[in-house]
Amino acid sequence: MIRHATPADVPEIHRMIRELAEYEKSLDEARASEEQLHEALFGERPAAFAHIAETGDGEVAGFALWFLNFSTWRGVHGIYLEDLYVRPGLRGGGYGKALLTELARICVERGYERLEWSVLDWNTPSINFYKSLGAKPQDEWTVYRLTDEALTELGSR
């Protein structure tokens, strides 16, 4: 049901990223190309990793795309889950849980002490799902982001 993504999966991952962006009402922000994804996942120095969830008949049900982070407080790596997506018609079939279980297994196997991700505050179905797995919101932290003109301006000083 869960397997490592291969280069042949890049077009399908790209489609699902766009589906996710549409669900999150941010399709115009999903600018990554298939070529960029291929380089990030399978280039000379991969910066990200992906797992694919498949149905019993080989249909792609969803994916998890993640990268390593590092905790200065714990002194070890962790996994940051950038995207977790299960296609709407297949939700409730255990695919999301299976993907998260695989990432948790990788953390335990490698001695990583955190598996973290962000969720939009209006996405109640996902929030409830994550809480059912024992995940805890980090309400005391606020995410900040620099992009586009603000990033260019600051980086050009």
Side-chain angles (χ1 to χ4, degrees), residues 56-109:
D57 62 359
E59 177 186 359
V60 174
F63 79 105
L65 194 144
W66 56 277
F67 55 88
L68 294 179
N69 59 14
F70 185 81
S71 169
T72 57
W73 291 13
R74 298 215 173 189
V76 296
H77 282 292
I79 287 178
Y80 185 84
L81 175 61
E82 179 66 22
D83 285 333
L84 175 69
Y85 180 72
V86 175
R87 290 199 155 121
L90 297 169
R91 291 181 186 154
Y95 300 106
K97 183 176 182 180
L99 285 162
L100 283 170
T101 298
E102 177 62 11
L103 297 185
R105 186 195 63 74
I106 291 168
C107 286
V108 171
E109 177 182 274

Side-chain angles (χ1 to χ4, degrees), residues 37-150:
L37 288 172
H38 186 276
E39 182 63 26
L41 294 167
F42 303 106
E44 186 176 317
R45 292 180 14 199
F49 308 92
H51 284 79
I52 299 292
E54 290 183 330
T55 66
D57 62 359
E59 177 186 359
V60 174
F63 79 105
L65 194 144
W66 56 277
F67 55 88
L68 294 179
N69 59 14
F70 185 81
S71 169
T72 57
W73 291 13
R74 298 215 173 189
V76 296
H77 282 292
I79 287 178
Y80 185 84
L81 175 61
E82 179 66 22
D83 285 333
L84 175 69
Y85 180 72
V86 175
R87 290 199 155 121
L90 297 169
R91 291 181 186 154
Y95 300 106
K97 183 176 182 180
L99 285 162
L100 283 170
T101 298
E102 177 62 11
L103 297 185
R105 186 195 63 74
I106 291 168
C107 286
V108 171
E109 177 182 274
R110 297 181 186 177
Y112 303 163
E113 295 189 13
R114 291 181 177 166
L115 172 55
E116 298 179 310
W117 61 92
S118 297
V119 60
L120 291 166
D121 58 6
W122 57 259
N123 193 345
T124 305
S126 293
I127 291 168
N128 291 338
F129 167 63
Y130 299 143
K131 286 181 177 179
S132 78
L133 299 176
K136 305 251 185 292
Q138 302 298 297
D139 296 333
E140 67 273 15
W141 293 91
T142 300
V143 176
Y144 281 83
R145 178 179 295 157
L146 280 170
T147 61
D148 303 324
E149 296 84 25

